[in-house]
Amino acid sequence: MKLYWSPRSPYVRKVMVVAHEKGVADRIERLPIVVSGLAVSEDFHAVNPLARIPTLILDDGASVYDSTVIAEYLDTLSPQNPLLPAAPGERLAVQSMHALGTGIADLLIPLRGELARPEAERSATFMAVGVSKFALAADRLEAMAGGMLARPIDLGQIAVATALTYADFRFPHLDWRQGRPGLTAWFDAITQRPSFRATAFVDA
Ligand SMILES: N[C@@H](CCC(=O)N[C@@H](CS)C(=O)NCC(=O)O)C(=O)O
């Protein structure tokens, strides 16, 4: 398998953490690529019509996207660390938490784009609303953190943790740990795992 990859993407980090947890990371050849919302790459559009990373290329040449689909696919590749429960109720809860974690990344990425604009073109309202939405999501996670700490790792927890690592990477001033001791304790435990240590962001 090949993975269009960057060391700066929270979505790529999420699927690489999954690959490490499943013991299949060494079956993935990483294809470094720089993507930008401000430029079109026709070559990459031929691989993924949205030209986004991560995009996984299977051995038969099929393209697989997006990060949630890739993560669920990788979970099927080995019995190690089952990350998506089979029982419908538990499965739905993990998938919802997966959507929450990926959604937090979806909130943060446009804020990053906004910060990259010349100051005169930035919208203070857009930034403030995005920061408020992030805080509300983190508050909800604080309320869920005790249960998360008690459960084995799953796709939902991986998605939330990678989104929070991205907040630390790009928005340390948001200081999401402040007033959220449960979420902090859960985050500190999960990010000690070798899968997180092997996938640290690099601002190359
Ligand atoms: N929903 C997608 C989001 C992926 C995404 O937006 N990736 C960013 C990099 S962090 C990207 O490829 N941006 C380029 C673009 O949107 O043109 C997923 O979960 O995989």
Side-chain angles (χ1 to χ4, degrees):
M1 293 176 283
K2 297 179 179 174
L3 184 75
Y4 284 92
W5 173 95
S6 154
R8 295 181 292 270
S9 164
Y11 309 98
V12 170
R13 187 174 191 184
K14 179 180 76 178
V15 303
M16 287 307 300
V17 168
V18 171
H20 281 278
E21 292 291 344
K22 299 302 294 182
V24 300
D26 57 358
R27 288 168 54 186
I28 297 176
E29 179 188 345
R30 291 175 296 169
L31 303 176
I33 186 169
V34 176
V35 290
S36 163
L38 300 176
V40 173
S41 159
E42 290 190 7
D43 289 350
F44 193 35
H45 271 275
V47 174
N48 172 343
L50 296 171
R52 287 182 175 158
I53 53 171
T55 299
L56 184 69
I57 309 298
L58 302 184
D59 293 341
D60 66 3
S63 296
V64 180
Y65 43 83
D66 58 7
S67 64
T68 296
V69 177
I70 296 170
E72 291 197 8
Y73 171 69
L74 294 177
D75 188 45
T76 68
L77 295 185
S78 91
Q80 182 176 314
N81 288 337
L83 297 174
L84 189 57
E90 286 172 43
R91 186 180 185 87
L92 205 52
V94 169
Q95 287 174 314
S96 291
M97 183 170 285
H98 192 167
L100 174 54
T102 307
I104 291 173
D106 293 342
L107 279 175
L108 295 175
I109 291 281
L111 294 184
R112 170 91 183 145
E114 191 70 10
L115 280 178
R117 290 167 176 268
E119 202 163 344
E121 291 178 23
R122 284 183 213 155
S123 162
T125 306
F126 181 83
M127 293 296 300
V129 169
V131 167
S132 294
K133 287 181 176 176
F134 172 77
L136 289 169
D139 286 344
R140 180 65 71 89
L141 286 165
E142 172 65 15
M144 299 161 84
M148 289 155 71
L149 197 52
R151 285 197 304 274
I153 190 166
D154 58 36
L155 290 181
Q157 295 187 51
I158 291 171
V160 169
T162 50
L164 292 176
T165 62
Y166 187 75
D168 285 344
F169 178 49
R170 293 302 196 197
F171 302 95
H173 61 281
L174 291 181
D175 195 13
W176 60 264
R177 291 170 179 77
Q178 184 65 36
R180 299 186 186 99
L183 189 59
T184 302
W186 164 80
F187 178 86
D188 288 348
I190 195 169
T191 54
Q192 290 302 313
R193 297 176 72 92
S195 56
F196 279 85
R197 291 178 171 273
T199 56
F201 290 119
V202 178
D203 207 358

